[in-house]
Amino acid sequence: MKVEVDRDSCEANAVCAGLVPEVFEVDDEDQLHIQVDEVPARWADGVRHAVRSCPKAALRLVEE
């Protein structure tokens, strides 16, 4: 599974980074970064929750 961010919609609210900081990071310039290419199974449930919790619906899962 991969997670993608819609940069036009993302406001860097950092909800996702608060939920799964191993996968999501917001830098000092308020840019969201996805820290992994593939989401490890141990973080999959947290990432799904983070995607559902995004206030701007800027995150999307790509299940392979």
Side-chain angles (χ1 to χ4, degrees):
M1 166 175 49
K2 294 182 180 188
V3 62
E4 297 177 346
V5 59
D6 177 347
R7 302 249 175 238
D8 293 330
S9 297
C10 181
E11 291 182 342
N13 292 304
V15 171
C16 56
L19 292 170
V20 194
E22 301 86 354
V23 175
F24 304 100
E25 179 183 47
V26 176
D27 66 19
D28 293 337
E29 296 173 2
D30 288 334
Q31 293 293 313
L32 176 65
H33 300 278
I34 309 298
Q35 301 297 314
V36 297
D37 291 327
E38 295 279 335
V39 176
R42 66 185 178 276
W43 297 328
D45 288 341
V47 168
R48 285 185 186 96
H49 179 63
V51 169
R52 288 190 308 269
S53 299
C54 179
K56 299 305 286 183
L59 298 172
R60 180 174 83 95
L61 289 178
V62 179
E63 306 258 4
E64 299 179 344

